[in-house]
């Protein structure tokens, strides 16, 4: 049995961070995403864009991380937006109403 893989890349420009994720966001990898997003906020980023182009799967654990990070960002007058979700992730966002908050 192989563990899900997730690569996280961060590129900053001023107070804007681009987080590019590649792989699967599932219970074992979701904490890595949480840590990366929290680090952005701790570093003073006011805009966090998350590129999901190469994410093949995001389950409810990933959704929870994104919603928590979005709330935390709003509390610090920052914003977090997801970009280019795969059809499965877009469906999860739409089905839960999270698309209005995260896209």
């Amino acid at each position: 049995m192989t563990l899900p893989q997730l690569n996280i890349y961060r590129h900053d420009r001023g107070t804007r961070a681009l987080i590019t994720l590649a792989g699967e966001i599932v219970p074992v990898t979701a904490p890595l995403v949480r840590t990366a997003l929290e680090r952005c906020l701790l570093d003073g980023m006011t805009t966090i864009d998350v590129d999901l182009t190469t994410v093949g799967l995001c389950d409810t654990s990933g959704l929870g991380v994104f919603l928590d990070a979005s709330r935390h960002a709003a509390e610090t007058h920052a914003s977090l937006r997801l970009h280019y979700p795969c059809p499965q992730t877009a469906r999860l966002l739409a089905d839960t109403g999270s698309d209005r908050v995260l896209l």
Side-chain angles (χ1 to χ4, degrees):
M1 179 170 145
T2 59
L3 292 175
Q5 289 286 324
L6 180 69
N7 293 312
I8 301 172
Y9 305 96
R10 177 175 164 183
H11 178 75
D12 296 346
R13 178 172 280 168
T15 60
R16 181 178 210 120
L18 172 63
I19 302 292
T20 302
L21 304 174
E24 297 180 357
I25 306 171
V26 293
V28 71
T29 60
L32 301 171
V33 177
R34 182 180 305 280
T35 299
L37 297 175
E38 287 175 355
R39 172 83 341 225
C40 288
L41 293 171
L42 289 171
D43 290 346
M45 297 296 129
T46 57
T47 303
I48 303 168
D49 294 307
V50 181
D51 183 349
L52 300 174
T53 302
T54 53
V55 170
L57 172 66
C58 177
D59 70 7
T60 56
S61 65
L63 176 61
V65 167
F66 291 132
L67 289 170
D68 289 346
S70 177
R71 279 191 290 271
H72 188 209
E75 291 168 0
T76 62
H77 305 288
S79 67
L80 179 138
R81 292 285 175 251
L82 305 181
H83 302 276
Y84 314 113
C86 70
Q88 175 271 333
T89 302
R91 200 169 29 260
L92 175 65
L93 293 169
D95 289 349
T96 61
S98 303
D99 54 341
R100 294 184 298 261
V101 176
L102 296 171
L103 295 180

